[in-house]
Amino acid sequence: MSNITLKVNGKAHAVDVDLSTPLLYVLRNDVGVQGPRFGCGLGQCGACTVIIKGEAVRSCTRPVSSVQGAEITTLEGLSQNGVLHPLQQAWIDEQVPQCGFCQNGQILTAKVLLDKNPNPTDAQIRQGMANTLCRCMTYYRIQAAIKRAAKVTA
Amino acid sequence: MTPFTTTPEESQTVEPAGTTRRDFLKNSGRLVVGFSAISAVPGVPFAEAVLNAAQGAGPYPDLDFRQLDSWIVIRQDNTATFYVGKTDLGQGTGTAFRQIMADELDMPYDRTSCVMGSTDVTVDQGGSGGSDALQTDGWPMRRVAAEARRVLLDMASQRFAVPAGDLVVSDAVISVRSDPSKRITYGDLIGGRKFNVTLTGNNPDATTGIAKLKDVQQFKIVGQSPQRYDIPAKVDGSLKWAVDVKLPGMVHARNVKPPFAGATLISIDESSVRGIPGIVKVVSKGNYVAVVCEREEHAIQAARQLKVNWQKPATAPFPSSENLHSFMRRATPTLSLPPTVVGDTAAALAGAARVVQADYDVPFQGHTSFGPAHATADPSNDQLTIYSNDMKSYGMRNGVAEFLKIPRDRVRVIWMEGPQGYGRTAADDAGFEAAFLAKEIGRPVRVQWMRNEETAWDTKGPAYTFTMRGGLDAQGNLTAFEYDARAADHHHLGYNEHDTVLISQLMGTRREPNRGGASMPNEMYAIPNRRMSAHVVSLPLVWETPLRTGNLRDPNGPQTTFASESFIDELAAAAKADPVEFRMKLLTGSTVEDSGFKRARSIAVVKAAAEKFGWDPRPSPRPRATGDIMTGRGIAYAWRSQTVVAQIAEVEVNRRTGKVWVKRFVCAHDCGLVVNPEGLRRAVEGGMLHALSRALYEEVQFDTEKVTSVDWITSPSLRHTDTPATIDVVIVNGDPNPNRPDLPHYGAGETVCKTTLAAVGNAIYDATGVRLRRVPFREARVLAALKSAGVPSGG
Ligand code: FES
Ligand code: FES
């Protein structure tokens, strides 16, 4: 076990963990955020997504040693001063989730997509989201919500 | 140490919007405790209420469904909480419950909240399943809410000394009609106190008071689309899910599953995990093995690293997935259902101008839930509290009590949100495992399955084979229909019985297989001669098998409807008839109506779907296109319970790759009275796309030892790139008397799962002239079918 510091949603957290531990478990069990969740542990589904350096990162396969010092944003950190991010608002307006378990990955992946490309085409949205799974199949509404948010942020 | 702990009780109460109020309903003595940050109820210290709930001071007897107080609590601030014994799997049923109950109670929707499915605070309505939330359980909910309104009116009548008939209610305020200055809120009448009103009825579904229900026309909230109350916390990250439960002293467990189905545990080499920090225990009983560690990542590591010596079974547990259907066709059935017989099918087939025959196959399909099974159990106070997303929480409570031989009133299941249910948690293995391990270790235990474990070992929708024959007369009329189905469903699970969950089977519990079931198609076609038969077959291994079957979003409907509605399409094609007109002729061929008017409503949905789609009548297939992309459209129709749907798919088939894309879905849907139209639309969209995933991708693959489809690569799912460009859900009310004041509300979660597979298959036929009789329509299978039918691969 080693003492390291993680910066999560603007706050520093000192944790004592094995450096090879996937970031996901440290975030959930030591830092105490719950936006990222376990879906596959294999980097295949997106449930565990966080944002690091502007990229959507799958925390289930990323050793915690590799993210020391980096600013980590989770779903909890998306709103600013109590105001929801336009994507979160669009998710509510479109009433996107069914069970909602995958939506952490959907929202954060969409955030990175829009940050890089504020006006994506339908095809770019579909392609950009292709590896983020939803087993309640809310894809149709997710895509509508991304378009709705793009109008607000663009 | 973790800076974060949560008292899960905090998350089970859903607050009315805009308040900080929380309720704890402590059932011993039915004490109603209401408090808020501003005004605690006098005499009930805040801390005590929290402590009681957090420590879970039992015992937890069943709530008395014949007490109005078990269902509804009204507070002094004129808000109400409804306690219902159902669970919401993400289709918005909680919102719908609030709507129907608020409407009957005459209370504004946003002054209400709803607590669901926790066995110690809600009556046993069975949890969820069968899309019965509104169809069955909505009625007692409406009746108790109406009864509460009646009692409140009675109280006001005494208070103002006027007959109840001279009072009016609006938004939870009662006033005297002739003197509106005389008014009182529900909260002032009863807030914080008990109703003490006894209800009648032999079971929770039959619960009733003496109040009359409202006519449909009087509803103000039903039929509107308030947003789902659970969504904000799901998108801002604040919701505490069942996976998020953390308790003081909690440890983490992971299972070690047999690497071969039917394997026997010989020995465990505990030295193989000795170096891992924080090992609490390696637990094994029978063939059940788990490791428990202080930290989650170490439990995962230990489960991977533990050396276990297993012995393979003497005989293969099952044929390989490639040989499954030929095995099923050869097997001697373990159960044959009494056939449904109309007329003389054999004679009609013999005399038919044209006989069409076809075999259809559907593989096992898994739940492959987005989030693997999980639960946390707390053994403190000599009882068990299980935090779980189990859709049938009451079944789990009963099952765990029996499994661990502890009194039922010492077990409670606190229901919390979880991933994609759709039947998986009706056989909630993880809850039983957590309970067993917690008792074994004496500390709270959190169990979570790994991805390969979940995908391989979850409950499966039964595989089917079908053989069908149909006879047409010289005019193309369908004169005979013969249907014979076989389902690999020998031991169907689904109600959390203690002796059916996997841990119990692995520990050697055996009971008579329940013999499963096999189904007939559900349509209202008038066919003069019809013979339908269905059988159950068993695979060699009945116990401890990853091919155990359970409820999967309409357990048999997608399979049977795929076969029957594809075959009806084959008959229409043989008759050179338009597929919609062919079906309409069959539906209008009789005038016999059932109590739910399913025939009339079937006609209405088929018409509505065709109209919305812009269906132009012509036989299938269409003349084949010459480019790479061939397009076509297909329809399918079915009913489930009392809900009827017709669905049309428009597809593009790429002749070079075999790729199928559904460009558009139209669904005409009649589930009677619609409580929340926007919620219904989304549930139907999700159901269609879930079934589309089953149509295009999903299939459990296995060799003769184990399941080999174990992750999202080997067990592919529908993705964003497969999403239709357009989905139209047309809400239909096809009741012959659409304005009847007692229009019933039927279930909506599953019917559309039936029609999707056939609608897509029929559209592929329309586009290509090639009939696909086995799902899923993966690219390679489509390409092979096109090739063997001589469809050129180059445009
Ligand atoms: S849990 Fe990390 S990608 Fe699935
Ligand atoms: S909303 Fe349930 S998995 Fe996506």
Side-chain angles (χ1 to χ4, degrees):
Chain A
M1 308 278 271
S2 311
N3 280 306
I4 58 166
T5 301
L6 293 179
K7 272 197 258 167
V8 182
N9 300 327
K11 266 205 252 164
H13 294 262
V15 295
D16 182 20
V17 295
D18 281 345
L19 289 178
S20 61
T21 306
L23 174 61
L24 174 65
Y25 304 109
V26 180
L27 288 174
R28 290 184 58 81
N29 297 336
D30 297 278
V31 175
V33 291
Q34 294 143 9
R37 282 182 280 277
F38 179 87
C40 68
L42 304 165
Q44 295 174 353
C45 74
C48 61
T49 302
V50 297
I51 298 177
I52 300 175
K53 295 195 186 115
E55 297 293 336
V57 168
R58 302 203 159 177
S59 65
C60 68
T61 51
R62 180 66 67 97
V64 70
S65 58
S66 70
V67 299
Q68 288 187 66
E71 180 59 51
I72 302 165
T73 304
T74 72
L75 185 61
E76 290 95 331
L78 221 53
S79 59
Q80 296 291 326
N81 306 319
V83 179
L84 292 178
H85 185 277
L87 273 164
Q88 292 171 308
Q89 190 55 52
W91 245 247
I92 293 174
D93 295 342
E94 282 290 335
Q95 293 282 286
V96 168
Q98 289 282 294
C99 82
F101 204 81
C102 71
Q103 302 294 343
N104 169 68
Q106 306 290 353
I107 293 169
L108 293 185
T109 307
K111 160 115 179 25
V112 171
L113 179 85
L114 287 191
D115 285 349
K116 291 182 178 178
N117 178 2
N119 263 315
T121 62
D122 286 4
Q124 286 167 334
I125 291 175
R126 295 158 73 91
Q127 214 52 55
M129 300 297 294
N131 292 324
T132 309
L133 299 181
C134 172
R135 291 286 297 158
C136 298
M137 312 295 174
T138 59
Y139 300 129
Y140 188 63
R141 293 289 168 179
I142 292 171
Q143 292 171 17
I146 294 174
K147 281 185 244 175
R148 187 190 274 253
K151 283 201 194 110
V152 177
T153 49
Chain B
M1 276 312 291
T2 165
F4 172 81
T5 54
T6 176
T7 307
E9 281 76 6
E10 286 181 5
S11 63
Q12 63 169 307
T13 302
V14 179
E15 298 165 86
T19 77
T20 57
R21 186 164 287 271
R22 297 189 195 283
D23 276 357
F24 288 102
L25 196 77
K26 188 167 171 292
N27 71 342
S28 50
R30 303 301 304 142
L31 175 65
V32 178
V33 185
F35 56 84
S36 76
I38 312 145
S39 62
V41 173
V44 184
F46 175 91
E48 188 192 293
V50 174
L51 209 64
N52 281 343
Q55 289 190 341
Y60 306 106
D62 281 84
L63 268 92
D64 183 355
F65 63 87
R66 292 193 195 87
Q67 282 301 317
L68 186 52
D69 294 303
S70 299
W71 299 85
I72 296 176
V73 170
I74 293 178
R75 289 181 222 79
Q76 282 164 318
D77 68 351
N78 211 17
T79 60
T81 299
F82 306 128
Y83 292 84
V84 300
K86 304 298 288 179
T87 53
D88 185 346
L89 310 184
Q91 282 67 55
T93 47
T95 301
F97 298 151
R98 273 176 62 181
Q99 288 181 260
I100 57 172
M101 293 180 80
D103 230 337
E104 289 287 358
L105 183 60
D106 261 328
M107 184 173 264
Y109 172 82
D110 57 11
R111 301 192 75 82
T112 64
S113 58
C114 181
V115 173
M116 284 182 285
S118 289
T119 60
D120 58 332
V121 293
T122 55
V123 299
D124 181 355
Q125 291 185 282
S128 292
S131 300
D132 64 358
L134 288 166
Q135 178 159 327
T136 307
D137 301 274
W139 293 104
M141 291 179 201
R142 282 180 62 184
R143 289 191 295 258
V144 297
E147 182 68 359
R149 178 183 184 274
R150 184 195 68 77
V151 172
L152 288 160
L153 275 168
D154 256 12
M155 292 168 74
S157 144
Q158 280 172 25
R159 162 94 54 136
F160 295 126
V162 297
D166 291 349
L167 298 170
V168 288
V169 192
S170 172
D171 288 351
V173 179
I174 301 176
S175 52
V176 177
R177 195 188 308 271
S178 57
D179 180 3
S181 70
K182 286 190 181 149
R183 61 204 306 274
I184 188 162
T185 68
Y186 286 176
D188 286 337
L189 274 172
I190 195 154
R193 288 181 299 119
K194 296 198 284 182
F195 283 101
N196 281 323
V197 168
T198 302
L199 308 166
T200 57
N202 288 332
N203 57 62
D205 286 351
T207 309
T208 187
I210 57 175
K212 187 182 166 300
L213 293 186
K214 283 187 176 174
D215 290 348
V216 166
Q217 285 72 20
Q218 292 174 276
F219 282 141
K220 294 183 196 142
I221 307 168
V222 169
Q224 305 295 314
S225 297
Q227 294 192 331
R228 269 171 51 194
Y229 62 78
D230 55 320
I231 285 183
K234 288 177 174 175
V235 306
D236 69 16
S238 63
L239 182 70
K240 303 284 184 288
W241 302 72
V243 284
D244 298 329
V245 171
K246 291 180 179 62
L247 301 168
M250 183 180 88
V251 288
H252 294 268
R254 287 295 185 281
N255 298 317
V256 179
K257 285 270 175 3
F260 316 105
T264 306
L265 177 80
I266 303 297
S267 62
I268 296 174
D269 174 8
E270 290 200 27
S271 71
S272 59
V273 293
R274 204 154 283 154
I276 296 173
I279 291 243
V280 177
K281 195 169 181 183
V282 175
V283 181
S284 76
K285 187 172 176 188
N287 295 321
Y288 176 73
V289 182
V291 291
V292 184
C293 289
E294 297 287 346
R295 290 187 59 91
E296 187 171 17
E297 65 271 20
H298 294 145
I300 294 168
Q301 186 192 346
R304 280 199 191 119
Q305 209 168 299
L306 187 73
K307 283 212 178 86
V308 185
N309 192 2
W310 299 93
Q311 186 174 39
K312 286 188 189 179
T315 51
F318 29 69
S320 70
S321 41
E322 262 160 47
N323 296 321
L324 173 68
H325 292 105
S326 57
F327 176 94
M328 287 172 65
R329 286 178 189 283
R330 283 196 316 269
T332 306
T334 52
L335 175 71
S336 291
L337 302 176
T340 304
V341 178
V342 177
D344 184 345
T345 306
L349 283 169
R354 173 116 196 245
V355 173
V356 179
Q357 171 159 356
D359 289 352
Y360 280 76
D361 291 331
V362 179
F364 285 109
Q365 296 184 317
H367 282 274
T368 57
S369 174
F370 185 79
H374 57 272
T376 299
D378 181 356
S380 40
N381 300 334
D382 203 24
Q383 60 201 7
L384 273 169
T385 298
I386 304 164
Y387 302 92
S388 163
N389 67 320
D390 191 334
M391 59 195 281
K392 294 187 192 297
S393 42
Y394 306 89
M396 194 211 269
R397 175 201 52 184
N398 302 349
V400 164
E402 213 164 323
F403 179 52
L404 298 177
K405 307 274 178 274
I406 42 182
R408 198 170 83 162
D409 65 3
R410 309 294 296 177
V411 182
R412 65 170 169 167
V413 177
I414 293 180
W415 178 79
M416 300 172 78
E417 297 262 5
Q420 172 207 355
Y422 308 134
R424 168 65 177 106
T425 53
D428 197 343
D429 307 298
F432 284 74
E433 291 162 357
F436 168 75
L437 293 169
K439 216 174 153 230
E440 199 70 12
I441 308 269
R443 291 170 66 179
V445 176
R446 179 181 184 275
V447 179
Q448 189 166 13
W449 287 23
M450 301 304 285
R451 168 50 50 203
N452 57 349
E453 191 182 0
E454 182 71 23
T455 305
W457 286 89
D458 67 0
T459 49
K460 307 294 189 282
Y464 265 83
T465 64
F466 302 90
T467 299
M468 288 171 293
R469 287 198 296 168
L472 297 163
D473 68 14
Q475 289 75 46
N477 297 306
L478 182 59
T479 54
F481 179 79
E482 194 178 73
Y483 166 101
D484 187 61
R486 291 178 158 223
D489 192 28
H490 183 52
H491 188 43
H492 190 95
L493 310 171
Y495 305 96
N496 276 324
E497 296 96 335
H498 75 282
D499 51 3
T500 64
V501 286
L502 191 56
I503 179 173
S504 159
Q505 293 187 18
L506 287 165
M507 287 180 177
T509 312
R510 298 290 183 262
R511 72 166 194 181
E512 275 300 293
N514 64 15
R515 308 182 80 199
S519 290
M520 319 278 191
N522 296 141
E523 26 77 354
M524 302 300 290
Y525 297 146
I527 305 170
N529 303 286
R530 191 200 267 263
R531 186 175 201 283
M532 303 200 293
S533 49
H535 318 270
V536 177
V537 296
S538 176
L539 303 183
L541 182 69
V542 176
W543 308 104
E544 307 177 33
T545 171
L547 299 180
R548 63 211 173 106
T549 51
N551 300 336
L552 170 56
R553 211 173 193 180
D554 195 341
N556 303 286
Q559 301 93 315
T560 55
T561 310
F562 168 57
S564 66
E565 277 294 281
S566 296
F567 190 61
I568 288 289
D569 230 59
E570 293 203 50
L571 291 161
K576 302 222 173 341
D578 172 72
V580 169
E581 282 171 5
F582 191 76
R583 285 174 172 81
M584 285 299 279
K585 205 155 104 185
L586 294 174
L587 288 171
T588 53
S590 155
T591 50
V592 182
E593 204 55 270
D594 74 328
S595 62
F597 305 105
K598 275 209 288 270
R599 192 194 63 93
R601 293 164 59 229
S602 298
I603 293 169
V605 290
V606 171
K607 270 190 189 156
E611 198 169 294
K612 180 75 192 179
F613 183 80
W615 184 278
D616 72 295
R618 59 167 174 78
S620 281
R622 67 181 300 174
R624 201 180 289 142
T626 49
D628 282 357
I629 301 296
M630 301 173 280
T631 60
R633 87 279 163 94
I635 185 168
Y637 134 80
W639 55 261
R640 183 181 205 274
S641 188
Q642 287 295 344
T643 296
V644 275
V645 304
Q647 187 181 355
I648 297 173
E650 183 182 354
V651 302
E652 290 187 2
V653 183
N654 185 318
R655 70 167 78 226
R656 286 183 192 277
T657 62
K659 173 95 183 153
V660 175
W661 179 46
V662 173
K663 193 176 170 189
R664 184 182 181 199
F665 269 139
V666 171
C667 174
H669 193 280
D670 181 348
C671 56
L673 180 68
V674 176
V675 176
N676 187 315
E678 287 304 311
L680 174 66
R681 269 178 223 290
R682 281 154 185 78
V684 170
E685 288 167 10
M688 277 196 273
L689 296 192
H690 188 183
L692 178 60
S693 188
R694 295 176 69 173
L696 296 183
Y697 296 113
E698 296 186 28
E699 167 167 19
V700 182
Q701 292 184 318
F702 40 93
D703 58 26
T704 56
E705 291 181 335
K706 61 187 177 302
V707 170
T708 55
S709 47
V710 293
D711 57 24
W712 295 120
I713 308 297
T714 50
S715 173
S717 164
L718 198 79
R719 288 173 185 262
H720 270 285
T721 35
D722 298 303
T723 311
T726 315
I727 301 178
D728 294 308
V729 177
V730 187
I731 296 175
V732 176
N733 174 3
D735 195 288
N737 180 4
N739 297 318
R740 55 194 263 221
D742 61 344
L743 189 70
H745 24 81
Y746 301 128
E750 296 174 89
T751 316
V752 77
C753 299
K754 290 188 153 181
T755 43
T756 302
L757 281 61
V760 174
N762 293 342
I764 293 172
Y765 175 76
D766 187 54
T768 65
V770 178
R771 177 62 62 179
L772 295 172
R773 298 190 181 89
R774 187 196 194 288
V775 285
F777 311 136
R778 289 190 189 173
E779 290 177 35
R781 181 168 285 128
V782 174
L783 206 54
L786 293 178
K787 198 179 233 176
S788 76
V791 179
S793 67

